[in-house]
Amino acid sequence: MPNLQFWYEFASTYSYLSAMRIEPLAAAAGVSIEYRPFLLGPIFHAQGWNTSPFNIYPAKGRYMARDIARMAEERGIPFAMPPGFPQNSLMAARVALVGCDEGWVAPFTRAVFSAQFAEGAQIADRQVLQRIVRNLDLDFERILSAIEAPDIKDRLKRQTAEAQALGLFGAPSFVTSLGEVFWGDDRLEQALAWARRS
Amino acid sequence: MPNLQFWYEFASTYSYLSAMRIEPLAAAAGVSIEYRPFLLGPIFHAQGWNTSPFNIYPAKGRYMARDIARMAEERGIPFAMPPGFPQNSLMAARVALVGCDEGWVAPFTRAVFSAQFAEGAQIADRQVLQRIVRNLDLDFERILSAIEAPDIKDRLKRQTAEAQALGLFGAPSFVTSLGEVFWGDDRLEQALAWARRS
């Protein structure tokens, strides 16, 4: 089965749009999705930015909020800008890496995005993550120990470095097994079509 | 007939993609297109940029070239990055304003984009513009006098200031008669659908 890497950042609004539709689209295309959570912070930092470009360039930020609201309405999913943007996604990304190993990354990812962009929750809040993890019938204490071990911390750093090495500069991004890179929720269908050709 | 403003910059690769398809899409949607050439330079400058963000952020620039090449191939139009990017689009934009008054802006716009992104020509080159204008059966000397008059120069400045006042920060952008703004070739279909509702 052809494969497509889904590179996403939990604080990213456009990653939310893709996370909420990638599974049915991938199933219809016969492509399997490899979840690749990473952090945009270090990549933005390397470009000289200390926050999201949507904060640095206010006209772009205002447009983004309106654009996402329109797209979400068209797709029948809820959306509200959460208090505080971008949120700190470090803990959620580490938990997602545990989910990659254990097979629950897809529902965890959707739940984190929904908590943030549909319910306005703070995803850096331990209690928010606890609720999400327990709703997946998982042991939160066990996962907390796992993400505090050096292994997961290092893997998230390596994954972010790999994103940078691939030339990724935003999220979501999609990478086929032949290394073809697509950026943005708007390119998801095209990325799936290219993955099928790979 | 509902109306949609098409805000574009002649040096912009994504504006090329839209210019080459907007007329048939608009005709099918029953929407009339109002051509609004403007300059991104002053808008970028106000954000602290002295060139295109595709030059300032090389990973983004490399991605853009690949993305446009894939989209152009999919749509069956030629594309090659011209020597020198972004090109100086001042003279072409001024001529386009004359075309707005005289009804030939649409074919002129497509011809300028094709010269630049299909044939690799320099659109700041007077001979290139002369050839384009003559192919439209127009008198180049008369148009040269028109664009050297203060009226056209001022109008281009005002049009660029209007783009900024609308919150535009990139090209192409599309604005409905109710002021709904869409950014990017990817939003052309959605912008046309919203224009129909206006």
Side-chain angles (χ1 to χ4, degrees), chain A residues 14 47 49 57 59-60 63 66-67 70-71 74 167 169 180-183 186-187 190 194, chain B residues 14 47 49 57 59-60 63 66-67 70-71 74 167 169 180-183 186-187 190 194:
Chain A
Y14 288 100
Q47 309 192 146
W49 299 343
Y57 305 108
K60 202 165 184 169
Y63 173 78
R66 179 70 188 136
D67 185 47
R70 280 189 310 236
M71 295 303 291
E74 207 170 285
F169 51 86
E180 201 71 33
V181 173
F182 298 84
W183 172 50
D186 302 314
R187 292 289 179 271
Q190 193 185 24
W194 277 70
Chain B
Y14 287 100
Q47 310 192 144
W49 298 343
Y57 306 108
K60 202 165 184 167
Y63 173 78
R66 179 69 188 136
D67 185 47
R70 280 189 308 237
M71 295 303 292
E74 207 171 285
F169 51 87
E180 200 71 33
V181 173
F182 298 83
W183 172 49
D186 302 313
R187 292 289 179 272
Q190 193 185 24
W194 278 69

Side-chain angles (χ1 to χ4, degrees), chain A:
Chain A
M1 201 182 204
N3 175 279
L4 185 67
Q5 294 180 343
F6 171 32
W7 290 84
Y8 60 103
E9 151 69 78
F10 278 111
S12 147
T13 49
Y14 288 100
S15 294
Y16 166 56
L17 289 185
S18 288
M20 301 315 278
R21 70 192 191 112
I22 195 167
E23 288 293 336
L25 285 181
V31 171
S32 71
I33 299 299
E34 188 183 329
Y35 283 70
R36 293 293 204 121
F38 74 115
L39 300 181
L40 272 175
I43 291 175
F44 286 168
H45 191 80
Q47 309 192 146
W49 299 343
N50 60 0
T51 180
S52 162
F54 296 127
N55 291 337
I56 298 173
Y57 305 108
K60 202 165 184 169
R62 280 188 297 272
Y63 173 78
M64 177 275 284
R66 179 70 188 136
D67 185 47
I68 299 273
R70 280 189 310 236
M71 295 303 291
E73 196 190 343
E74 207 170 285
R75 295 181 186 170
I77 60 172
F79 172 72
M81 279 300 286
F85 177 84
Q87 291 197 20
N88 182 333
S89 56
L90 179 65
M91 193 160 49
R94 286 179 180 160
V95 174
L97 284 183
V98 181
C100 289
D101 292 343
E102 300 184 357
W104 43 264
V105 66
F108 173 77
T109 295
R110 287 192 295 274
V112 171
F113 277 119
S114 290
Q116 183 181 197
F117 293 116
E119 297 152 32
Q122 295 291 323
I123 61 169
D125 182 336
R126 222 163 246 243
Q127 291 189 303
V128 169
L129 287 178
Q130 185 177 40
R131 175 174 56 81
I132 290 170
V133 161
R134 289 198 173 152
N135 281 343
L136 297 172
D137 281 327
L138 297 164
D139 178 349
F140 188 59
E141 302 309 315
R142 183 181 63 79
I143 289 165
L144 268 191
S145 327
I147 68 168
E148 273 151 23
D151 172 54
I152 287 289
K153 292 185 179 179
D154 289 348
R155 274 171 57 196
L156 184 57
K157 280 183 202 151
R158 283 202 306 274
Q159 188 123 299
T160 298
E162 192 186 334
Q164 211 158 6
L166 281 166
L168 307 192
F169 51 86
S173 292
F174 309 98
V175 184
T176 70
S177 56
L178 295 180
E180 201 71 33
V181 173
F182 298 84
W183 172 50
D185 176 69
D186 302 314
R187 292 289 179 271
L188 175 50
E189 288 86 348
Q190 193 185 24
L192 287 165
W194 277 70
R196 284 167 63 96
R197 289 196 226 165
S198 295

